[in-house]
Amino acid sequence: MIEHIDLLIEHGTVISMDAERRVIEDGAVAVKADRIVAVGTTAELRARFTAAKTINAYRKAVLPGLIDSHAHAGHGMLRTMGAGDPNAWMAACAVIYTSASDEQFWRAESAMTSLERLKAGVTTGVSLFGGGDSIMRVDDPKYAKAHCDAVARSGTRSVVAVGPSRPSAPTRYVDWATEPPSSRDIDAATMLEVCNKIIDENHGRADGRLNIAVTLPVFAPMHEPDHGLLREEFHRQAGDYFRLAKERGLTFTQDGHRTGTLALAHSELGLLGPTSFMSHCIDLSEEDIAVTQDTHTRIVHNPSAIMSIRGRCPVPELIDAGVIVAIGSDGSAPDRGYDMFRHMFQCMHYHRRHFRDAGVLPHGKVLEMVTIDAARALSMDHEIGSLEVGKKADIILVDLFKPHLMPLNMPVYRITCFANAADVSTTIVNGRILMEDRQVLSVNEGEILEEVNVAAERMLDRSGLRHLTESPARLWGASHY
Protein backbone atom coordinates (compact mmCIF):
# COMPACT_ATOMS: atom_id res chain seq x y z
CA MET A 1 0.00 0.00 0.00
CA ILE A 2 1.35 3.42 -0.97
CA GLU A 3 1.39 5.95 1.87
CA HIS A 4 0.88 9.66 1.23
CA ILE A 5 3.45 11.95 2.84
CA ASP A 6 4.22 15.66 2.81
CA LEU A 7 7.80 15.67 1.52
CA LEU A 8 10.17 13.29 -0.23
CA ILE A 9 13.81 14.26 -0.66
CA GLU A 10 15.30 11.90 -3.27
CA HIS A 11 18.44 11.17 -5.31
CA GLY A 12 20.76 12.71 -2.68
CA THR A 13 23.83 11.51 -0.85
CA VAL A 14 22.25 10.93 2.57
CA ILE A 15 24.72 11.34 5.43
CA SER A 16 22.44 10.01 8.15
CA MET A 17 24.53 10.34 11.35
CA ASP A 18 22.52 7.39 12.66
CA ALA A 19 24.05 4.72 14.91
CA GLU A 20 25.64 2.99 11.90
CA ARG A 21 26.71 6.34 10.37
CA ARG A 22 25.17 5.25 7.09
CA VAL A 23 26.04 7.20 3.96
CA ILE A 24 23.45 6.29 1.32
CA GLU A 25 24.17 7.01 -2.33
CA ASP A 26 21.03 7.82 -4.33
CA GLY A 27 19.39 8.14 -0.95
CA ALA A 28 16.06 9.55 0.15
CA VAL A 29 14.30 10.89 3.24
CA ALA A 30 10.52 10.82 3.71
CA VAL A 31 8.79 13.41 5.91
CA LYS A 32 5.24 13.50 7.24
CA ALA A 33 4.20 16.60 9.17
CA ASP A 34 7.22 17.42 11.39
CA ARG A 35 8.77 13.93 11.55
CA ILE A 36 11.02 11.69 9.47
CA VAL A 37 9.10 8.54 8.54
CA ALA A 38 11.70 6.74 6.42
CA VAL A 39 15.35 6.89 5.36
CA GLY A 40 16.70 4.68 2.59
CA THR A 41 17.44 4.49 -1.10
CA THR A 42 15.38 6.46 -3.58
CA ALA A 43 14.07 3.24 -5.11
CA GLU A 44 12.93 1.92 -1.72
CA LEU A 45 11.12 5.07 -0.69
CA ARG A 46 9.55 5.71 -4.09
CA ALA A 47 8.01 2.25 -3.84
CA ARG A 48 6.48 3.08 -0.45
CA PHE A 49 5.40 6.72 -0.67
CA THR A 50 3.73 9.38 -2.78
CA ALA A 51 4.51 12.95 -1.72
CA ALA A 52 2.79 16.33 -1.89
CA LYS A 53 6.22 17.81 -2.63
CA THR A 54 9.38 16.21 -3.95
CA ILE A 55 12.86 17.73 -3.78
CA ASN A 56 15.49 16.44 -6.20
CA ALA A 57 18.76 16.30 -4.23
CA TYR A 58 20.88 15.01 -7.11
CA ARG A 59 24.55 15.90 -6.49
CA LYS A 60 23.65 17.26 -3.07
CA ALA A 61 24.42 15.97 0.42
CA VAL A 62 21.39 15.46 2.67
CA LEU A 63 22.28 15.96 6.32
CA PRO A 64 20.67 16.54 9.69
CA GLY A 65 20.55 20.26 10.44
CA LEU A 66 23.72 21.57 12.03
CA ILE A 67 23.72 22.54 15.73
CA ASP A 68 25.56 25.52 17.20
CA SER A 69 25.93 24.72 20.89
CA HIS A 70 27.16 28.08 22.19
CA ALA A 71 26.58 31.66 21.06
CA HIS A 72 25.25 34.96 22.40
CA ALA A 73 22.08 36.90 21.71
CA GLY A 74 22.94 40.54 21.13
CA HIS A 75 26.46 39.98 19.85
CA GLY A 76 25.47 40.09 16.19
CA MET A 77 24.71 43.78 16.48
CA LEU A 78 28.22 44.42 17.88
CA ARG A 79 30.26 42.28 15.51
CA THR A 80 31.79 45.22 13.61
CA MET A 81 32.87 47.09 16.76
CA GLY A 82 36.26 47.21 18.46
CA ALA A 83 38.24 45.04 16.05
CA GLY A 84 41.70 44.39 17.47
CA ASP A 85 40.72 45.40 21.01
CA PRO A 86 38.85 42.58 22.80
CA ASN A 87 38.74 44.51 26.07
CA ALA A 88 36.99 47.46 24.43
CA TRP A 89 34.54 45.05 22.79
CA MET A 90 33.73 43.34 26.10
CA ALA A 91 33.21 46.72 27.75
CA ALA A 92 30.90 47.72 24.89
CA CYS A 93 28.73 44.65 25.57
CA ALA A 94 28.23 45.79 29.16
CA VAL A 95 27.24 49.32 28.15
CA ILE A 96 24.96 48.34 25.28
CA TYR A 97 23.15 45.45 26.95
CA THR A 98 22.32 47.41 30.07
CA SER A 99 21.97 50.97 28.80
CA ALA A 100 21.62 51.27 25.01
CA SER A 101 19.41 48.40 23.84
CA ASP A 102 15.65 48.34 23.46
CA GLU A 103 13.09 45.80 22.25
CA GLN A 104 13.81 46.62 18.60
CA PHE A 105 17.52 45.93 19.20
CA TRP A 106 16.84 42.44 20.58
CA ARG A 107 14.19 41.63 17.97
CA ALA A 108 16.29 42.82 15.03
CA GLU A 109 19.46 41.08 16.23
CA SER A 110 17.56 37.85 16.78
CA ALA A 111 15.95 38.02 13.34
CA MET A 112 19.36 38.63 11.76
CA THR A 113 21.01 35.79 13.67
CA SER A 114 18.20 33.36 12.88
CA LEU A 115 18.46 34.33 9.20
CA GLU A 116 22.24 33.89 9.18
CA ARG A 117 21.91 30.52 10.84
CA LEU A 118 19.21 29.12 8.58
CA LYS A 119 21.16 30.23 5.49
CA ALA A 120 24.19 28.40 6.93
CA GLY A 121 22.25 25.20 7.62
CA VAL A 122 22.20 25.74 11.39
CA THR A 123 18.75 24.55 12.36
CA THR A 124 19.34 24.63 16.14
CA GLY A 125 21.33 27.26 18.01
CA VAL A 126 22.05 28.05 21.63
CA SER A 127 21.99 31.75 22.48
CA LEU A 128 22.91 33.08 25.90
CA PHE A 129 20.75 36.14 26.42
CA GLY A 130 23.62 38.59 26.68
CA GLY A 131 27.29 38.05 27.34
CA GLY A 132 30.57 39.87 27.34
CA ASP A 133 31.61 39.43 30.96
CA SER A 134 28.26 37.83 31.90
CA ILE A 135 26.03 40.88 31.43
CA MET A 136 22.51 39.64 30.75
CA ARG A 137 19.40 41.66 29.82
CA VAL A 138 17.24 40.47 32.73
CA ASP A 139 15.67 43.63 34.09
CA ASP A 140 12.41 43.01 32.20
CA PRO A 141 11.10 39.90 30.35
CA LYS A 142 10.02 42.00 27.35
CA TYR A 143 13.51 41.93 25.84
CA ALA A 144 13.74 38.13 25.84
CA LYS A 145 10.22 37.96 24.43
CA ALA A 146 11.25 40.26 21.54
CA HIS A 147 14.21 37.93 20.87
CA CYS A 148 12.04 34.81 21.00
CA ASP A 149 9.34 36.38 18.80
CA ALA A 150 11.90 36.79 16.02
CA VAL A 151 13.15 33.20 16.37
CA ALA A 152 9.57 31.94 16.23
CA ARG A 153 8.93 33.85 13.00
CA SER A 154 12.14 32.60 11.37
CA GLY A 155 11.18 28.95 11.80
CA THR A 156 14.49 27.87 13.33
CA ARG A 157 15.00 25.96 16.58
CA SER A 158 16.66 27.72 19.53
CA VAL A 159 17.78 27.23 23.12
CA VAL A 160 17.81 30.62 24.86
CA ALA A 161 19.86 30.60 28.06
CA VAL A 162 18.79 33.07 30.76
CA GLY A 163 20.36 33.92 34.09
CA PRO A 164 21.63 36.78 36.21
CA SER A 165 24.27 39.34 35.40
CA ARG A 166 27.55 38.75 37.19
CA PRO A 167 27.79 39.51 40.92
CA SER A 168 27.62 41.76 42.64
CA ALA A 169 24.06 43.04 42.29
CA PRO A 170 22.41 45.46 41.84
CA THR A 171 23.06 46.31 38.21
CA ARG A 172 21.82 49.57 36.62
CA TYR A 173 19.62 49.19 33.53
CA VAL A 174 18.08 51.81 31.23
CA ASP A 175 14.62 51.45 29.65
CA TRP A 176 14.13 53.47 26.43
CA ALA A 177 10.36 52.91 26.27
CA THR A 178 9.73 56.26 27.98
CA GLU A 179 10.81 59.78 27.07
CA PRO A 180 13.12 60.61 28.70
CA PRO A 181 14.41 57.06 29.28
CA SER A 182 14.19 55.69 32.81
CA SER A 183 16.83 53.81 34.75
CA ARG A 184 16.75 51.60 37.81
CA ASP A 185 18.96 49.29 39.79
CA ILE A 186 18.01 45.63 39.44
CA ASP A 187 18.78 43.42 42.43
CA ALA A 188 19.35 39.65 42.51
CA ALA A 189 15.76 38.87 43.53
CA THR A 190 14.35 40.82 40.58
CA MET A 191 16.71 39.09 38.13
CA LEU A 192 15.48 35.72 39.38
CA GLU A 193 11.87 36.84 39.08
CA VAL A 194 12.45 38.04 35.51
CA CYS A 195 14.12 34.74 34.56
CA ASN A 196 11.08 32.86 35.87
CA LYS A 197 8.79 35.05 33.75
CA ILE A 198 10.95 34.48 30.66
CA ILE A 199 10.60 30.73 31.18
CA ASP A 200 6.83 31.02 31.70
CA GLU A 201 6.35 33.07 28.53
CA ASN A 202 8.72 31.32 26.15
CA HIS A 203 9.68 27.74 27.06
CA GLY A 204 8.11 25.34 24.59
CA ARG A 205 6.83 28.04 22.25
CA ALA A 206 6.50 27.71 18.47
CA ASP A 207 5.55 24.02 18.43
CA GLY A 208 8.44 23.25 20.78
CA ARG A 209 11.10 24.94 18.67
CA LEU A 210 11.88 27.43 21.45
CA ASN A 211 13.34 26.18 24.71
CA ILE A 212 14.84 28.01 27.65
CA ALA A 213 17.99 26.93 29.50
CA VAL A 214 19.44 28.37 32.69
CA THR A 215 22.89 29.96 32.86
CA LEU A 216 25.16 31.44 35.53
CA PRO A 217 28.45 33.32 35.58
CA VAL A 218 31.41 30.99 36.24
CA PHE A 219 32.80 31.11 39.80
CA ALA A 220 36.57 31.44 39.30
CA PRO A 221 38.29 32.81 42.45
CA MET A 222 41.62 31.28 41.40
CA HIS A 223 41.56 33.47 38.27
CA GLU A 224 39.45 36.45 39.45
CA PRO A 225 40.44 37.43 43.00
CA ASP A 226 37.30 39.52 43.54
CA HIS A 227 35.21 36.34 43.16
CA GLY A 228 36.58 35.17 46.48
CA LEU A 229 35.01 38.19 48.16
CA LEU A 230 31.69 37.31 46.54
CA ARG A 231 31.72 33.61 47.41
CA GLU A 232 28.47 33.81 49.38
CA GLU A 233 26.65 35.49 46.48
CA PHE A 234 27.94 32.93 43.95
CA HIS A 235 26.77 30.14 46.26
CA ARG A 236 23.33 31.71 46.62
CA GLN A 237 23.02 32.14 42.86
CA ALA A 238 24.05 28.53 42.27
CA GLY A 239 21.41 27.28 44.68
CA ASP A 240 18.65 29.47 43.26
CA TYR A 241 19.30 28.91 39.56
CA PHE A 242 20.30 25.25 39.53
CA ARG A 243 17.19 24.53 41.60
CA LEU A 244 15.18 26.52 39.06
CA ALA A 245 16.59 24.41 36.23
CA LYS A 246 15.79 21.17 38.03
CA GLU A 247 12.28 22.22 39.03
CA ARG A 248 11.41 23.40 35.53
CA GLY A 249 13.10 20.50 33.71
CA LEU A 250 15.60 22.78 31.93
CA THR A 251 19.18 22.24 30.85
CA PHE A 252 21.99 24.25 32.45
CA THR A 253 25.00 25.94 30.88
CA GLN A 254 27.92 28.21 31.77
CA ASP A 255 30.21 30.33 29.64
CA GLY A 256 33.94 30.46 30.25
CA HIS A 257 35.30 27.56 32.29
CA ARG A 258 39.05 27.26 32.66
CA THR A 259 41.64 25.53 34.85
CA GLY A 260 40.05 24.32 38.09
CA THR A 261 36.64 25.92 37.69
CA LEU A 262 34.81 22.74 36.63
CA ALA A 263 36.11 20.89 39.68
CA LEU A 264 35.07 23.85 41.85
CA ALA A 265 31.64 24.04 40.21
CA HIS A 266 31.20 20.40 41.19
CA SER A 267 32.66 20.37 44.71
CA GLU A 268 31.33 23.71 45.96
CA LEU A 269 28.29 24.47 43.83
CA GLY A 270 26.97 21.11 42.61
CA LEU A 271 26.43 22.34 39.04
CA LEU A 272 27.70 19.39 37.03
CA GLY A 273 25.58 16.58 35.63
CA PRO A 274 24.16 15.03 32.44
CA THR A 275 21.91 18.03 31.73
CA SER A 276 24.77 20.53 32.12
CA PHE A 277 26.78 21.67 29.10
CA MET A 278 29.78 23.85 29.88
CA SER A 279 31.49 26.15 27.41
CA HIS A 280 35.12 26.99 26.48
CA CYS A 281 36.77 24.86 29.22
CA ILE A 282 40.36 25.82 28.44
CA ASP A 283 43.51 24.42 30.09
CA LEU A 284 41.55 21.91 32.15
CA SER A 285 43.25 20.06 34.98
CA GLU A 286 43.17 16.28 35.35
CA GLU A 287 40.62 16.77 38.14
CA ASP A 288 38.43 18.88 35.84
CA ILE A 289 38.40 16.13 33.23
CA ALA A 290 37.76 13.44 35.84
CA VAL A 291 34.73 15.17 37.39
CA THR A 292 33.36 15.94 33.93
CA GLN A 293 33.61 12.27 33.03
CA ASP A 294 32.21 11.05 36.37
CA THR A 295 29.19 13.37 36.28
CA HIS A 296 28.46 12.89 32.55
CA THR A 297 28.71 16.64 32.04
CA ARG A 298 28.91 17.78 28.43
CA ILE A 299 31.53 20.20 27.05
CA VAL A 300 31.14 22.80 24.29
CA HIS A 301 34.36 23.72 22.46
CA ASN A 302 34.56 27.06 20.68
CA PRO A 303 37.67 26.70 18.50
CA SER A 304 37.36 30.12 16.84
CA ALA A 305 36.90 32.11 20.07
CA ILE A 306 39.32 34.46 21.80
CA MET A 307 39.43 32.08 24.79
CA SER A 308 40.80 29.40 22.45
CA ILE A 309 43.67 31.75 21.67
CA ARG A 310 44.37 32.32 25.36
CA GLY A 311 44.17 28.62 26.22
CA ARG A 312 43.21 25.23 24.78
CA CYS A 313 40.18 23.09 25.39
CA PRO A 314 41.61 19.53 25.54
CA VAL A 315 39.10 18.10 23.11
CA PRO A 316 40.92 14.88 22.08
CA GLU A 317 41.68 14.13 25.72
CA LEU A 318 38.04 14.68 26.71
CA ILE A 319 36.78 12.48 23.87
CA ASP A 320 39.26 9.74 24.83
CA ALA A 321 37.91 9.97 28.41
CA GLY A 322 34.39 9.34 27.12
CA VAL A 323 33.11 12.90 27.47
CA ILE A 324 30.62 14.20 24.91
CA VAL A 325 32.04 17.31 23.21
CA ALA A 326 30.12 19.64 20.90
CA ILE A 327 31.28 22.62 18.83
CA GLY A 328 29.95 26.14 19.29
CA SER A 329 30.52 29.29 17.27
CA ASP A 330 30.71 31.65 20.26
CA GLY A 331 29.17 34.03 17.73
CA SER A 332 29.08 36.70 16.87
CA ALA A 333 32.23 38.73 17.40
CA PRO A 334 34.58 40.91 15.34
CA ASP A 335 36.30 37.79 13.98
CA ARG A 336 33.58 35.12 13.66
CA GLY A 337 29.99 34.31 12.76
CA TYR A 338 27.68 31.30 12.61
CA ASP A 339 29.26 29.27 9.80
CA MET A 340 29.66 25.87 11.49
CA PHE A 341 31.60 24.53 8.50
CA ARG A 342 34.28 27.09 9.34
CA HIS A 343 34.27 26.06 12.99
CA MET A 344 34.59 22.35 12.13
CA PHE A 345 37.60 23.14 9.96
CA GLN A 346 39.10 25.36 12.66
CA CYS A 347 38.59 22.65 15.27
CA MET A 348 40.50 20.05 13.28
CA HIS A 349 43.45 22.27 12.48
CA TYR A 350 43.60 23.86 15.92
CA HIS A 351 44.22 20.53 17.66
CA ARG A 352 46.36 19.06 14.89
CA ARG A 353 48.67 22.06 15.22
CA HIS A 354 48.86 21.57 18.99
CA PHE A 355 49.84 17.89 18.71
CA ARG A 356 51.81 18.34 15.46
CA ASP A 357 49.72 15.40 14.24
CA ALA A 358 47.50 15.49 11.14
CA GLY A 359 45.68 12.38 12.38
CA VAL A 360 44.00 14.14 15.30
CA LEU A 361 40.21 14.60 15.10
CA PRO A 362 39.03 12.66 12.04
CA HIS A 363 36.61 14.60 9.88
CA GLY A 364 33.74 12.28 10.78
CA LYS A 365 34.19 13.09 14.46
CA VAL A 366 33.93 16.85 13.93
CA LEU A 367 30.76 16.31 11.91
CA GLU A 368 29.40 14.37 14.89
CA MET A 369 30.30 17.36 17.07
CA VAL A 370 27.86 19.61 15.18
CA THR A 371 25.13 16.99 14.76
CA ILE A 372 24.49 13.96 16.96
CA ASP A 373 27.05 14.77 19.69
CA ALA A 374 25.76 18.34 19.85
CA ALA A 375 22.22 17.01 20.21
CA ARG A 376 23.41 14.82 23.09
CA ALA A 377 25.13 17.78 24.70
CA LEU A 378 21.85 19.71 24.66
CA SER A 379 19.82 16.67 25.85
CA MET A 380 17.94 16.75 22.52
CA ASP A 381 19.28 13.63 20.81
CA HIS A 382 15.89 11.91 21.10
CA GLU A 383 14.54 14.57 18.69
CA ILE A 384 17.35 15.93 16.51
CA GLY A 385 20.97 15.35 15.45
CA SER A 386 20.51 12.53 12.93
CA LEU A 387 18.25 11.45 10.08
CA GLU A 388 16.30 8.62 11.69
CA VAL A 389 12.70 7.47 11.70
CA GLY A 390 10.71 9.27 14.40
CA LYS A 391 13.03 12.23 14.76
CA LYS A 392 12.16 15.81 13.89
CA ALA A 393 12.55 16.67 10.23
CA ASP A 394 15.46 19.10 10.63
CA ILE A 395 17.27 18.56 7.34
CA ILE A 396 19.70 20.48 5.17
CA LEU A 397 20.91 20.02 1.60
CA VAL A 398 24.44 21.00 0.63
CA ASP A 399 25.23 21.54 -3.05
CA LEU A 400 28.28 19.39 -3.85
CA PHE A 401 28.46 20.23 -7.55
CA LYS A 402 30.83 23.19 -7.24
CA PRO A 403 34.49 23.62 -8.17
CA HIS A 404 35.71 23.68 -4.57
CA LEU A 405 33.72 20.52 -3.75
CA MET A 406 34.79 18.34 -6.67
CA PRO A 407 35.38 15.58 -7.62
CA LEU A 408 32.25 13.64 -6.71
CA ASN A 409 33.67 11.25 -4.12
CA MET A 410 34.26 11.14 -0.32
CA PRO A 411 31.20 13.26 0.56
CA VAL A 412 31.83 13.45 4.32
CA TYR A 413 35.35 14.71 3.73
CA ARG A 414 34.09 17.35 1.31
CA ILE A 415 31.47 18.56 3.80
CA THR A 416 33.91 19.00 6.68
CA CYS A 417 37.02 20.18 4.84
CA PHE A 418 35.78 22.15 1.83
CA ALA A 419 32.15 23.24 2.21
CA ASN A 420 31.04 26.57 3.63
CA ALA A 421 27.77 28.19 4.67
CA ALA A 422 27.03 29.45 1.15
CA ASP A 423 26.92 25.86 -0.14
CA VAL A 424 23.74 25.12 1.84
CA SER A 425 20.94 25.16 -0.70
CA THR A 426 17.92 24.08 1.38
CA THR A 427 17.07 24.25 5.07
CA ILE A 428 14.12 22.43 6.65
CA VAL A 429 13.04 22.62 10.30
CA ASN A 430 10.12 20.68 11.80
CA GLY A 431 9.27 19.57 8.27
CA ARG A 432 8.85 23.17 7.07
CA ILE A 433 11.03 24.39 4.20
CA LEU A 434 12.64 27.64 5.40
CA MET A 435 15.00 28.02 2.43
CA GLU A 436 14.96 26.31 -0.95
CA ASP A 437 17.63 26.77 -3.63
CA ARG A 438 19.08 29.62 -1.51
CA GLN A 439 15.76 31.49 -1.48
CA VAL A 440 14.59 32.20 2.07
CA LEU A 441 10.88 31.48 2.35
CA SER A 442 10.07 31.95 6.04
CA VAL A 443 10.91 35.64 6.46
CA ASN A 444 11.61 38.75 4.37
CA GLU A 445 15.39 38.97 4.26
CA GLY A 446 15.52 42.59 3.03
CA GLU A 447 13.18 43.86 5.74
CA ILE A 448 15.25 42.19 8.44
CA LEU A 449 18.50 43.73 7.21
CA GLU A 450 16.95 47.19 6.97
CA GLU A 451 15.66 46.97 10.55
CA VAL A 452 19.08 45.79 11.76
CA ASN A 453 20.69 48.90 10.29
CA VAL A 454 18.14 51.21 11.94
CA ALA A 455 18.53 49.48 15.32
CA ALA A 456 22.33 49.51 15.10
CA GLU A 457 22.49 53.23 14.35
CA ARG A 458 20.18 53.98 17.27
CA MET A 459 22.30 51.79 19.56
CA LEU A 460 25.50 53.59 18.53
CA ASP A 461 23.94 56.99 19.20
CA ARG A 462 22.65 55.95 22.62
CA SER A 463 25.82 54.22 23.75
CA GLY A 464 28.32 56.89 22.67
CA LEU A 465 30.49 54.10 21.26
CA ARG A 466 30.48 55.00 17.57
CA HIS A 467 34.25 55.45 17.74
CA LEU A 468 34.55 51.66 18.09
CA THR A 469 33.39 51.35 14.47
CA GLU A 470 36.42 53.33 13.23
CA SER A 471 39.37 51.48 11.73
CA PRO A 472 42.25 50.95 14.20
CA ALA A 473 45.26 53.17 13.75
CA ARG A 474 47.47 50.16 12.96
CA LEU A 475 45.07 48.38 10.60
CA TRP A 476 47.57 48.44 7.69
CA GLY A 477 51.25 47.66 7.37
CA ALA A 478 51.96 46.42 10.91
CA SER A 479 52.35 42.96 12.44
CA HIS A 480 50.24 43.80 15.50
CA TYR A 481 47.29 46.11 16.20
Side-chain angles (χ1 to χ4, degrees):
M1 181 177 176
I2 302 294
E3 181 182 351
H4 185 73
I5 58 174
D6 297 297
L7 175 65
L8 180 65
I9 302 167
E10 62 180 16
H11 296 305
T13 299
V14 176
I15 303 173
S16 68
M17 305 309 297
D18 63 8
E20 291 78 35
R21 302 296 189 263
R22 289 183 300 161
V23 178
I24 307 169
E25 295 294 342
D26 197 13
V29 180
V31 175
K32 189 168 187 177
D34 62 343
R35 299 279 176 179
I36 296 169
V37 294
V39 180
T41 66
T42 297
E44 290 169 345
L45 270 58
R46 274 192 163 188
R48 292 176 55 191
F49 301 103
T50 179
K53 180 177 176 63
T54 299
I55 294 177
N56 185 354
Y58 178 61
R59 289 177 169 170
K60 293 180 174 66
V62 183
L63 297 153
L66 306 184
I67 300 169
D68 179 358
S69 298
H70 179 84
H72 295 266
H75 278 17
M77 203 73 83
L78 283 68
R79 78 172 100 204
T80 55
M81 300 176 68
D85 190 347
N87 292 329
W89 191 82
M90 293 277 281
C93 291
V95 171
I96 291 165
Y97 294 165
T98 59
S99 305
S101 59
D102 56 13
E103 289 170 88
Q104 184 193 37
F105 172 97
W106 294 103
R107 180 179 64 250
E109 194 277 343
S110 176
M112 174 181 65
T113 294
S114 298
L115 177 63
E116 182 180 351
R117 279 174 160 165
L118 78 85
K119 293 189 75 172
V122 179
T123 56
T124 299
V126 175
S127 293
L128 275 64
F129 197 63
D133 188 7
S134 297
I135 298 296
M136 320 302 281
R137 188 84 213 218
V138 286
D139 55 315
D140 191 304
K142 66 183 182 181
Y143 303 106
K145 185 177 184 304
H147 170 91
C148 291
D149 286 348
V151 176
R153 281 193 295 272
S154 75
T156 57
R157 197 179 301 280
S158 183
V159 179
V160 182
V162 297
S165 288
R166 65 170 185 262
S168 61
T171 301
R172 175 64 61 91
Y173 288 89
V174 176
D175 187 342
W176 291 88
T178 61
E179 183 59 47
S182 60
S183 62
R184 60 179 179 143
D185 292 329
I186 303 299
D187 60 19
T190 302
M191 291 183 190
L192 183 58
E193 179 184 344
V194 168
C195 288
N196 268 287
K197 289 180 180 177
I198 291 171
I199 296 165
D200 290 340
E201 293 177 357
N202 298 288
H203 185 60
R205 280 182 63 188
D207 297 321
R209 289 187 289 105
L210 266 162
N211 289 285
I212 305 299
V214 172
T215 187
L216 282 176
V218 171
F219 180 45
M222 65 285 283
H223 304 290
E224 307 288 344
D226 62 311
H227 285 198
L229 303 175
L230 300 167
R231 183 174 249 102
E232 184 176 336
E233 189 167 351
F234 273 99
H235 275 250
R236 184 171 58 252
Q237 278 190 351
D240 289 343
Y241 284 88
F242 203 65
R243 186 183 313 113
L244 173 63
K246 291 294 185 184
E247 289 175 351
R248 305 297 291 269
L250 309 178
T251 52
F252 178 84
T253 188
Q254 287 187 296
D255 176 23
H257 277 285
R258 43 191 160 153
T259 315
T261 60
L262 283 169
L264 190 62
H266 179 57
S267 63
E268 278 203 30
L269 305 178
L271 299 178
L272 272 57
T275 58
S276 296
F277 56 104
M278 304 304 208
S279 179
H280 291 298
C281 304
I282 61 171
D283 299 334
L284 297 184
S285 66
E286 291 184 6
E287 184 182 8
D288 289 324
I289 295 175
V291 298
T292 301
Q293 176 189 25
D294 291 345
T295 58
H296 304 288
T297 298
R298 285 61 159 113
I299 298 299
V300 181
H301 173 42
N302 302 284
S304 306
I306 295 296
M307 281 195 76
S308 288
I309 294 172
R310 294 172 175 165
R312 185 183 72 93
C313 178
V315 169
E317 297 94 319
L318 286 161
I319 292 171
D320 290 344
V323 177
I324 292 171
V325 183
I327 294 175
S329 67
D330 198 33
S332 282
D335 60 353
R336 59 192 177 275
Y338 295 101
D339 183 344
M340 297 308 294
F341 297 93
R342 167 185 172 177
H343 300 304
M344 280 192 284
F345 184 87
Q346 176 82 344
C347 180
M348 287 186 286
H349 284 263
Y350 180 92
H351 296 283
R352 290 171 183 177
R353 174 65 179 83
H354 173 79
F355 287 103
R356 310 298 199 271
D357 182 354
V360 171
L361 287 180
H363 54 276
K365 169 46 68 177
V366 295
L367 186 56
E368 292 172 349
M369 292 167 72
V370 298
T371 54
I372 189 61
D373 286 353
R376 289 172 179 147
L378 305 184
S379 302
M380 298 174 74
D381 52 303
H382 61 295
E383 293 279 49
I384 61 173
S386 60
L387 302 181
E388 297 184 77
V389 173
K391 286 196 175 184
K392 290 286 189 179
D394 290 10
I395 306 166
I396 63 171
L397 275 61
V398 179
D399 186 353
L400 298 177
F401 197 60
K402 294 185 175 184
H404 63 286
L405 291 169
M406 294 293 282
L408 291 170
N409 55 41
M410 297 188 72
V412 176
Y413 186 81
R414 287 148 68 208
I415 289 290
T416 55
C417 295
F418 298 103
N420 61 64
D423 297 320
V424 177
S425 62
T426 298
T427 300
I428 300 165
V429 177
N430 251 15
R432 179 187 176 197
I433 301 172
L434 307 183
M435 179 176 72
E436 186 172 11
D437 295 328
R438 293 301 292 175
Q439 181 180 356
V440 177
L441 305 175
S442 59
V443 291
N444 186 312
E445 184 170 357
E447 287 182 1
I448 288 172
L449 301 184
E450 292 292 354
E451 185 178 19
V452 166
N453 195 51
V454 170
E457 288 297 304
R458 181 175 292 136
M459 171 268 289
L460 290 170
D461 288 339
R462 289 171 174 174
S463 67
L465 295 174
R466 191 175 292 274
H467 62 279
L468 292 181
T469 64
E470 298 171 359
S471 295
R474 291 170 60 84
L475 178 64
W476 307 104
S479 65
H480 294 71
Y481 279 110

